[in-house]
Amino acid sequence: MLKINNIKKQFPSVRALDGITLEIKEKEFFGLIGPNGAGKSTLINIIVGYLQMDEGYIEFNGKDIKELGISYKKKIGLVPQSIALYEDLNAIDNLKIFGSLFDIPKKELKEIINEKLNAVGLYERKKDLVKNYSGGMKRRLNLIAALLHRPEILLCDEPTVGVDPQSRNAIFSYLQDLNTSGTTIIYTTHYMEEAEKLCNRIGIIDYGKIIALGTLEELLNLLPPKKSIFFVKNGLTESKIEEFKKFGKISINNSKYKLEANDEFRFSEFFAALEENGIDERFIEVYKPNLETLFLNLTGRIFRD
Ligand SMILES: Nc1ncnc2c1ncn2[C@@H]1O[C@H](COP(=O)(O)OP(=O)(O)OP(=O)(O)O)[C@@H](O)[C@H]1O
Ligand SMILES: [Mg+2]
């Protein structure tokens, strides 16, 4: 659906994008994650056409977006990272302004505005000035402002920053419904659990390059296949610990024993040994790698800006 070919973007003091090639498929919920300054917003703004690329090109259904012009812009919606609303206007007047950018007929616009306000729980507050909205309400309004023209692709640039779990979950389920009913979504976030929960496919971007790309499962397979198992200490005596040395290296980690499984480790044998030694499974924790582990492995732990 959207083919991004070798995009480069240089700002005076930094190369924000250094050759991004990426294909977004129709109806995908695509996650773009990366540290601060990695280039996510720059890429999003180039896809939407708010920023010019220095090199490369983007195709929408096989056609260069530069040639498609306005017909492409009507198919794409952006939820920007910084909230872009008129504080001194109410929700309806804000949405009317956004709607007017897309030449939506008045009657239709009125219907869509009501439908969207309802969908994100703002209908009752539609006449309140935006400056009196909570952070979560502003984020929800910022989201629907991008949807009035019913875009085929929705780009969300960190749409849940500063939002409480209620609003966040309302935004998730709304986006999931939108995706199920056919909208392609590109979603940037710093919250790994959001990407894990929402996205069919994830790209990790760092220093303007895609450094990993795939489904969550494919990405987690990039980690060394190391299993760590933790035992709560009071579930075990020293002599019992001896029994478990055949499964790997055991060390003390804070108040727990840590077993780093060796290559021969099999869960079936391990659980049998637990039972033989009368150790309740409640005393063990199996460490499972997640997206955050991978992310930190690939992007390191130094500060970014
Ligand atoms: N208009 C601009 N002028 C100059 N430099 C810019 C501009 N926009 C972005 N940059 C720089 O380009 C790099 C990429 O920025 P970008 O905003 O794309 O990162 P990001 O991944 O969205 O970060 P964050 O997670 O903090 O939102 C950063 O070093 C940033 O300072
Ligand atoms: Mg950004």
Side-chain angles (χ1 to χ4, degrees), residues 35-42 45 81 157-158 188 190:
N36 288 133
K40 303 178 295 296
S41 296
T42 305
N45 287 325
Q81 179 166 0
D157 197 356
E158 300 190 37
T188 85
H190 284 127

Short mmCIF file of all heavy atoms in Angstrom, two decimals, residues 35-42 45 81 157-158 188 190, ligand 2:
data_model
loop_
_atom_site.label_atom_id
_atom_site.label_comp_id
_atom_site.label_asym_id
_atom_site.label_seq_id
_atom_site.Cartn_x
_atom_site.Cartn_y
_atom_site.Cartn_z
N PRO A 35 14.30 5.37 20.11
CA PRO A 35 14.58 6.32 21.19
C PRO A 35 14.27 7.76 20.77
O PRO A 35 14.00 8.01 19.60
CB PRO A 35 16.09 6.17 21.41
CG PRO A 35 16.52 4.98 20.64
CD PRO A 35 15.49 4.70 19.61
N ASN A 36 14.34 8.70 21.70
CA ASN A 36 14.17 10.13 21.38
C ASN A 36 15.16 10.50 20.28
O ASN A 36 16.33 10.11 20.32
CB ASN A 36 14.48 11.00 22.61
CG ASN A 36 13.41 10.91 23.68
OD1 ASN A 36 13.72 10.76 24.85
ND2 ASN A 36 12.17 11.00 23.30
N GLY A 37 14.67 11.26 19.33
CA GLY A 37 15.55 11.75 18.28
C GLY A 37 15.90 10.73 17.21
O GLY A 37 16.74 10.98 16.35
N ALA A 38 15.28 9.56 17.25
CA ALA A 38 15.63 8.49 16.30
C ALA A 38 15.19 8.84 14.87
O ALA A 38 15.76 8.33 13.90
CB ALA A 38 14.98 7.18 16.73
N GLY A 39 14.17 9.67 14.74
CA GLY A 39 13.70 10.04 13.40
C GLY A 39 12.25 9.67 13.13
O GLY A 39 11.77 9.84 12.01
N LYS A 40 11.53 9.22 14.15
CA LYS A 40 10.14 8.76 13.96
C LYS A 40 9.24 9.89 13.43
O LYS A 40 8.57 9.72 12.41
CB LYS A 40 9.56 8.22 15.28
CG LYS A 40 10.35 7.10 15.90
CD LYS A 40 9.76 6.65 17.22
CE LYS A 40 9.78 7.67 18.32
NZ LYS A 40 11.13 8.11 18.77
N SER A 41 9.25 11.02 14.14
CA SER A 41 8.35 12.11 13.73
C SER A 41 8.76 12.65 12.36
O SER A 41 7.90 13.01 11.55
CB SER A 41 8.37 13.24 14.76
OG SER A 41 7.87 12.77 15.98
N THR A 42 10.07 12.71 12.11
CA THR A 42 10.52 13.18 10.80
C THR A 42 9.96 12.28 9.70
O THR A 42 9.43 12.76 8.69
CB THR A 42 12.07 13.20 10.75
OG1 THR A 42 12.55 13.97 11.85
CG2 THR A 42 12.58 13.78 9.44
N ASN A 45 6.20 12.83 9.35
CA ASN A 45 5.89 14.11 8.71
C ASN A 45 6.23 14.10 7.22
O ASN A 45 5.59 14.80 6.43
CB ASN A 45 6.60 15.26 9.43
CG ASN A 45 5.95 15.54 10.78
OD1 ASN A 45 4.74 15.42 10.94
ND2 ASN A 45 6.74 15.88 11.78
N GLN A 81 2.28 14.54 17.15
CA GLN A 81 2.84 14.32 18.49
C GLN A 81 2.48 15.47 19.43
O GLN A 81 2.08 15.24 20.57
CB GLN A 81 4.37 14.19 18.37
CG GLN A 81 5.07 13.97 19.69
CD GLN A 81 6.51 13.52 19.52
OE1 GLN A 81 7.02 13.37 18.42
NE2 GLN A 81 7.18 13.28 20.63
N ASP A 157 1.30 9.73 15.93
CA ASP A 157 2.63 9.98 16.48
C ASP A 157 2.50 10.14 18.00
O ASP A 157 2.15 11.20 18.50
CB ASP A 157 3.22 11.24 15.83
CG ASP A 157 4.73 11.34 16.02
OD1 ASP A 157 5.30 10.48 16.73
OD2 ASP A 157 5.34 12.27 15.47
N GLU A 158 2.77 9.08 18.71
CA GLU A 158 2.67 9.04 20.18
C GLU A 158 1.35 9.61 20.68
O GLU A 158 1.33 10.60 21.42
CB GLU A 158 3.85 9.79 20.79
CG GLU A 158 5.16 9.17 20.38
CD GLU A 158 6.34 9.74 21.14
OE1 GLU A 158 6.18 10.02 22.34
OE2 GLU A 158 7.40 9.87 20.55
N THR A 188 3.51 5.40 16.24
CA THR A 188 4.79 5.49 16.95
C THR A 188 4.53 5.60 18.45
O THR A 188 3.54 6.19 18.88
CB THR A 188 5.66 6.70 16.52
OG1 THR A 188 5.27 7.84 17.27
CG2 THR A 188 5.55 7.01 15.05
N HIS A 190 6.65 5.25 22.62
CA HIS A 190 7.78 4.87 23.47
C HIS A 190 7.36 3.77 24.42
O HIS A 190 8.17 3.28 25.19
CB HIS A 190 8.22 6.07 24.33
CG HIS A 190 8.99 7.07 23.56
ND1 HIS A 190 8.68 8.39 23.52
CD2 HIS A 190 10.08 6.92 22.78
CE1 HIS A 190 9.53 9.02 22.75
NE2 HIS A 190 10.40 8.15 22.29
MG MG B 2 8.74 12.28 17.70
#
